[in-house]
Amino acid sequence: MSTGTPLYLLKNISFHYKERFELNIPELSIDSGASIGLIGPNGGGKSTLLRIVGFLLHPQEGEIYYNGEKVTRETDGPRREVTTMLQEPYLLKRSVFDNIAYGLKMRGERQGTRERVYESLEMVGLDPAGFASRSWFELSGGEAQRVSLASRLILKPRVLILDEPTASVDEASGRLIKEAVLQCREKYGTTLLIASHDQIWLNTIASDIRKVSLGRVWESAAGNLIAGPWKSGENGLYLKKLPDGQTIFATKPPEPERQGMIEATDIIISTMPPERVSAQNILNAGIMNMRIEKESGMMVVGLDAGGLQLTSRITQHAARSLGLFPGEKVWVVFKATSIKWS
Amino acid sequence: MDFITEGFFQAFQLLLSGNEETYSAIFATVKVSSLSIALSLLIGIPLGFLLGYFEFSGKRQLRAISDTLLALPTVVVGLFVYAFITYRGPLGDLGLLYTITGIAIAQTVLVVPIVISLTATAIESLDRRLKPTLIALGAQGRQIAFTSLVEARFAVLIAAITAYGRAISEVGISMIIGGNIKWHTRTITTAITLETGKGEFSMGIALGIVLLAFAFIVNYSLAFLRKRSA
């Protein structure tokens, strides 16, 4: 959709923690004004990626361009346009007011502080009169989370990065956080990058959901992971047996234990037994759930194929013409070459 | 047992009647320990912050030295400082021996390692989320360092109070450097030592009560601050 320079451009990014975990991103661009949701398993690289784009971590290899300018360890400019709320937000040992005003103070912005603090508190659904003078230890978990968000919103950020913002809050706080974030986007045109395990919540905010797993960013949200081990089979293919005895075929993995990934758009659903198809993988499956992606309008179908959870992404028209519904028995079809290795 | 009961009774009489000799020792103690604590905070907090905040070669060795000095015996400090400020010593011309200032300097030597070590620990124990949070909110360089110190303020205050407790209750330095001169350098601890030796329990008990009151205030403050710093 971009017509010019992307806000972020990451090239050949690599980051590893003592050889234990690696994040590898050959290329990733994020347009200004985008609203990107990140999903994926724990340890898949979401938080590391968010810390890199939030300029809290510098990659060991690769280049980051922000607004067309290369970012180095010494670059300070964009740091003040981007703000990150970590998975477990930390409140400074001071009042709610001072916590929220801190970022403004660091920028030397002193005019209208009170009004802006109050406005931010209202954005996150906290009554300024009741909360501004409270101390950091007088807040519940959900309130602390919202104060932490307010301290970011007051900065009118160009980029707002949230790492699991609803992980430890109740449903009401989750709703208020969502409303505040959407309001921020609407008011300031803020670019959003949000990681969450709550995909339903994330779907209500993000227009583009991507999966981060195995240290890679997968283009589609509904990517499927298939764990190893893989055994050598016939015709140069490798196979994995599912709990119900069905078999998945793939090309040669880098090593037998490697986890494979298949894009949800590569999984075809059929309500009839497929015949004479070139794809190696034809599996019996059941439809577990169905939902519509907010912005794309695509239908995301959750499937259970012999104990393996898969997600297929099809058009609403296809879903209607096939007459799909949860609980229905179907066949899923995909090529062995559709399984990619990290 | 009667002499103890009698001692307590007379002690309260001394305190309530405003006995000059008793209050002279109390004021000398407050004066000397306040001076020493002010000096040790001025020196110890910046050094402790540098030790805790920055990574540099030799840091662990410096830390080990600072921690070892926590257990400095007061008489050893008294002896060393005496050697420097005695009239034959290199700083003898300053005339610090048998003065409140002299005791305060020696007490500073005693408690500076406490302030340095506890401040460094306070900085090192700061929440690991603090720095990324400050960067995320736009703080830079010195702003991050200063806010880190402010965040550690309760723990740094604990360091100050612990140091004050050590200074106010020591006796070796006050005796060697101050000489226990009546109306001049006699502190609570040296007075208790002297009066007990003379068999004058009442003044000893009166001063002991005051010292205990100080200890209570110090410990109560510590408990309160520990709760805040958690």
Side-chain angles (χ1 to χ4, degrees):
Chain A
M1 300 279 204
S2 174
T3 52
T5 311
L7 184 62
Y8 280 101
L9 179 60
L10 279 67
K11 279 185 174 175
N12 302 316
I13 293 294
S14 171
F15 190 92
H16 55 87
Y17 295 99
K18 294 178 185 170
E19 316 212 347
R20 181 169 53 84
F21 165 76
E22 274 195 39
L23 180 72
N24 288 304
I25 302 173
E27 186 166 318
L28 175 68
S29 70
I30 298 166
D31 290 333
S32 185
S35 173
I36 295 174
L38 300 177
I39 58 165
N42 287 335
K46 297 190 300 292
S47 295
T48 305
L49 173 60
L50 291 184
R51 281 172 180 251
I52 286 173
V53 294
F55 307 122
L56 301 176
L57 272 183
H58 200 74
Q60 284 134 346
E61 285 172 40
E63 294 166 348
I64 304 176
Y65 293 87
Y66 179 84
N67 220 14
E69 300 271 328
K70 189 174 174 182
V71 178
T72 64
R73 285 179 194 276
E74 289 72 37
T75 312
D76 274 333
R79 287 181 218 280
R80 289 198 163 170
E81 292 187 3
V82 180
T83 186
T84 307
M85 188 167 89
L86 302 172
Q87 191 166 350
E88 296 166 11
Y90 177 86
L91 287 186
L92 302 174
K93 289 185 170 76
R94 47 188 83 181
S95 71
V96 166
F97 186 97
D98 289 340
N99 261 285
I100 298 174
Y102 181 82
L104 291 183
K105 206 170 149 191
M106 292 303 102
R107 286 162 174 76
E109 296 175 27
R110 300 193 184 269
Q111 282 202 331
T113 303
R114 184 187 151 92
E115 290 73 22
R116 287 176 71 175
V117 169
Y118 278 34
E119 185 190 2
S120 302
L121 275 169
E122 280 165 359
M123 278 174 84
V124 296
L126 293 173
D127 173 27
F131 279 90
S133 58
R134 282 200 200 179
S135 290
W136 78 98
F137 56 85
E138 293 175 313
L139 302 169
S140 70
E143 288 164 353
Q145 190 91 348
R146 283 188 276 156
V147 168
S148 182
L149 179 60
S151 68
R152 272 79 180 167
L153 299 183
I154 197 171
L155 305 173
K156 300 180 181 175
R158 187 165 181 202
V159 181
L160 177 63
I161 297 168
L162 307 175
D163 192 357
E164 299 288 354
T166 57
S168 52
V169 300
D170 59 17
E171 202 183 326
S173 288
R175 182 175 44 78
L176 288 161
I177 288 170
K178 179 192 84 178
E179 286 167 6
V181 171
L182 290 174
Q183 208 181 333
C184 173
R185 189 181 181 207
E186 195 184 316
K187 277 173 121 169
Y188 316 128
T190 301
T191 301
L192 301 175
L193 282 161
I194 307 170
S196 177
H197 279 105
D198 187 347
Q199 205 171 332
I200 295 170
W201 180 87
L202 198 56
N203 270 321
T204 61
I205 297 183
S207 55
D208 178 4
I209 295 184
R210 300 186 194 184
K211 191 166 210 163
V212 182
S213 174
L214 305 167
R216 285 184 60 180
V217 181
W218 303 81
E219 281 302 313
S220 161
N224 297 284
L225 296 174
I226 306 171
W230 300 86
K231 286 182 183 165
S232 178
E234 291 175 0
N235 304 321
L237 294 176
Y238 279 69
L239 54 93
K240 177 192 166 64
K241 286 274 182 200
L242 296 177
D244 71 344
Q246 297 192 81
T247 307
I248 295 179
F249 295 95
T251 55
K252 188 181 178 185
E255 66 256 6
E257 300 297 326
R258 187 62 69 95
Q259 204 169 22
M261 175 96 180
I262 179 167
E263 295 286 349
T265 45
D266 288 340
I267 295 181
I268 296 162
I269 298 174
S270 170
T271 51
M272 304 280 281
E275 289 177 2
R276 300 178 68 79
V277 290
S278 63
Q280 292 290 323
N281 294 298
I282 302 169
L283 304 173
N284 289 307
I287 296 178
M288 308 300 291
N289 53 64
M290 297 170 71
R291 62 177 175 79
I292 296 169
E293 269 184 354
K294 194 186 168 199
E295 302 250 332
S296 68
M298 295 287 277
M299 180 70 78
V300 177
V301 184
L303 300 149
D304 183 328
L308 175 70
Q309 308 294 313
L310 293 171
T311 305
S312 175
R313 199 157 164 262
I314 58 176
T315 62
Q316 286 189 52
H317 172 74
R320 265 197 303 274
S321 61
L322 287 171
L324 300 183
F325 57 87
E328 190 180 7
K329 296 293 177 195
V330 294
W331 282 263
V332 296
V333 182
F334 54 92
K335 291 180 181 178
T337 52
S338 295
I339 297 175
K340 304 284 193 309
W341 310 107
S342 58
Chain B
M1 282 295 285
D2 284 351
F3 75 98
I4 296 174
T5 319
E6 183 70 12
F8 268 100
F9 180 72
Q10 287 178 7
F12 280 109
Q13 274 189 328
L14 284 173
L15 287 172
L16 295 174
S17 65
N19 177 273
E20 280 187 42
E21 194 180 339
T22 307
Y23 278 92
S24 163
I26 292 170
F27 289 137
T29 302
V30 170
K31 209 190 290 180
V32 76
S33 52
S34 299
L35 191 56
S36 65
I37 212 67
L39 282 171
S40 61
L41 293 182
L42 275 174
I43 300 164
I45 290 177
L47 290 180
F49 179 79
L50 294 175
L51 194 57
Y53 191 74
F54 294 103
E55 294 299 326
F56 53 89
S57 60
K59 174 176 171 161
R60 283 175 65 184
Q61 289 76 4
L62 276 177
R63 191 66 207 268
I65 292 169
S66 174
D67 289 347
T68 305
L69 294 177
L70 291 176
L72 266 179
T74 58
V75 285
V76 172
V77 176
L79 180 69
F80 275 109
V81 176
Y82 182 91
F84 273 85
I85 65 173
T86 186
Y87 300 113
R88 289 183 297 160
L91 303 174
D93 291 344
L94 298 175
L96 294 169
L97 194 60
Y98 306 129
T99 64
I100 291 288
T101 312
I103 305 173
I105 288 169
Q107 281 189 354
T108 303
V109 174
L110 178 75
V111 298
V112 150
I114 296 175
V115 180
I116 292 175
S117 280
L118 294 187
T119 302
T121 302
I123 297 297
E124 285 167 352
S125 309
L126 281 170
D127 196 299
R128 64 186 166 75
R129 297 166 298 169
L130 175 64
K131 197 170 177 184
T133 297
L134 298 180
I135 296 170
L137 292 172
Q140 297 168 335
R142 285 180 192 172
Q143 294 172 328
I144 296 173
F146 182 72
T147 307
S148 298
L149 184 59
V150 173
E151 281 298 290
R153 63 192 180 278
F154 296 118
V156 172
L157 267 174
I158 289 173
I161 291 172
T162 306
Y164 193 79
R166 175 92 160 125
I168 206 168
S169 60
E170 71 77 28
V171 61
I173 289 170
S174 303
M175 195 66 92
I176 295 172
I177 305 294
N180 195 21
I181 302 166
K182 197 174 178 181
W183 309 113
H184 183 45
T185 58
R186 181 167 295 173
T187 62
I188 292 177
T189 51
T190 57
I192 290 174
T193 310
L194 180 74
E195 298 303 323
T196 307
K198 281 164 44 187
E200 293 290 335
F201 286 107
S202 52
M203 185 184 277
I205 290 170
L207 292 169
I209 289 168
V210 174
L211 204 55
L212 277 173
F214 278 126
F216 176 77
I217 293 166
V218 164
N219 279 308
Y220 186 79
S221 311
L222 278 175
F224 176 77
L225 289 169
R226 282 210 178 94
K227 214 169 142 188
R228 275 282 181 277
S229 67

